[in-house]
Amino acid sequence: FFEETLRLYLGGKTDMEAAKLVANWVANQHEFALKESGDPALSGKAPALAEVIVLVKSGKISNAVGKDVLLAAYKTGKAPAVLVEEGGSAQVSDEGRLKVWAQEAISENPAAAADFRAGKESAVGRIVGAVMKKSKGKANPALVNSLLKELLKS
């Protein structure tokens, strides 16, 4: 199962980092989804797992959403990309939208913004949380983090 998922994910190339990533997904999320889905058969599941890993790695969905999509794919047999589209669970990476949410979150959290500007780097986490709340968890957290730091330093 691991080899088939790795082959599908890599398209025939060899990459140790990818092998570790696939092994982690197989050992953790796949095993969980397999148990929760009530369908212990492995047949046809490697393509779904490979597709979820691609969606997560590309930034289209978050790791947390990936776990949910994998479980749904195992339960329904639907392709992960279809489930992401149907559920509207794609991550928001549009800088324009993120910037609006970031600016609103900064103005709504002046103490955290002041703490960050005073050198307390961890204060940005409170503002990232506010952006995630505004986006209903769909904002790309890595992009939000870098965008906030950029906005707060200017």
Side-chain angles (χ1 to χ4, degrees):
F1 183 83
F2 168 78
E3 291 85 3
E4 181 182 2
T5 304
L6 184 61
R7 183 182 51 73
L8 289 166
Y9 174 67
L10 289 175
K13 297 176 278 185
T14 333
D15 180 344
M16 280 308 288
E17 185 179 325
K20 288 178 186 176
L21 177 67
V22 170
N24 183 45
W25 274 85
V26 168
N28 297 304
Q29 284 71 8
H30 163 72
E31 290 298 323
F32 172 78
L34 206 57
K35 288 176 190 166
E36 290 295 311
S37 71
D39 179 10
L42 291 177
S43 178
K45 295 203 171 54
L49 178 58
E51 187 176 346
V52 168
I53 296 170
V54 168
L55 290 168
V56 170
K57 192 75 174 149
S58 70
K60 181 155 183 165
I61 60 174
S62 69
N63 233 357
V65 169
K67 293 173 189 179
D68 295 340
V69 168
L70 184 63
L71 177 57
Y74 283 10
K75 282 184 174 180
T76 66
K78 289 184 178 180
V82 170
L83 292 166
V84 168
E85 194 64 38
E86 287 177 354
S89 50
Q91 226 171 209
V92 176
S93 296
D94 173 50
E95 264 194 56
R97 284 180 72 186
L98 294 176
K99 192 171 186 176
V100 170
W101 287 328
Q103 289 169 329
E104 289 173 1
I106 290 169
S107 65
E108 293 167 4
N109 294 278
D115 287 347
F116 178 83
R117 290 181 179 121
K120 189 174 180 186
E121 289 274 326
S122 63
V124 78
R126 295 195 310 258
I127 307 171
V128 169
V131 173
M132 296 307 289
K133 188 174 181 180
K134 287 180 173 299
S135 71
K136 297 182 174 96
K138 292 183 182 179
N140 181 322
L143 286 177
V144 168
N145 200 3
S146 65
L147 184 59
L148 282 170
K149 288 179 180 179
E150 183 182 304
L151 288 170
L152 288 164
K153 288 179 181 175
S154 60

